[in-house]
Amino acid sequence: MHFKSLIASALISFSVVTAASLADVDFQARVKQGYRLIKTSPTDTGAWVTDEEKISNYTGKCVHFVDITDIKDPAVLSVFNGEKDNSRVAAIAAVTYPAVSHQSEANGLIAQLNTSGPQTWLKALT
């Protein structure tokens, strides 16, 4: 019984590794053929296009896209896939900032202001 489950999990692991390796080989083959992987929205699964197709089908028709071919960072790819990282949102929301008040400094500067300089400058211009 345990032997069968061991064999089954080994086969599943092998198939996952093989699928990942084949996907990587397919990815590299397309890049070598001159194709680029682009996305037009977070829900878009992506499309393989040539540089000429990017210009004629997307840029020429004002369709916005992001070329994600060279992006390897999982965090950046998750953003492009529309995945939300709730831990970062919670961390940003938890930040508290101190109250900033420069009223005393401003009042000191305001007391020193006068209009005699600008009035003389304007007299010279008129």
Side-chain angles (χ1 to χ4, degrees):
M1 177 79 169
H2 294 291
F3 182 72
K4 287 182 181 178
S5 60
L6 181 66
I7 295 289
S9 47
L11 287 173
I12 290 171
S13 298
F14 177 73
S15 64
V16 169
V17 170
T18 304
S21 301
L22 289 176
D24 191 45
V25 169
D26 185 44
F27 183 89
Q28 295 302 329
R30 287 186 183 224
V31 170
K32 283 182 183 177
Q33 293 170 352
Y35 285 94
R36 308 291 297 174
L37 183 58
I38 64 167
K39 289 184 65 117
T40 57
S41 72
T43 57
D44 181 17
T45 58
W48 287 99
V49 296
T50 62
D51 284 331
E52 294 80 21
E53 290 172 332
K54 279 196 307 187
I55 294 169
S56 62
N57 296 342
Y58 295 92
T59 307
K61 295 179 181 176
C62 297
V63 176
H64 301 284
F65 64 91
V66 177
D67 187 339
I68 62 168
T69 309
D70 299 323
I71 299 175
K72 304 294 183 223
D73 187 359
V76 174
L77 289 173
S78 70
V79 170
F80 284 128
N81 288 333
E83 299 170 9
K84 297 197 184 322
D85 185 3
N86 292 331
S87 62
R88 289 190 68 196
V89 172
I92 292 169
V95 173
T96 57
Y97 297 98
V100 179
S101 175
H102 295 286
Q103 189 171 1
S104 59
E105 294 93 351
N107 286 337
L109 292 172
I110 291 170
Q112 296 175 5
L113 292 176
N114 62 43
T115 58
S116 62
Q119 285 179 350
T120 27
W121 303 330
L122 287 172
K123 285 181 184 174
L125 292 174
T126 57

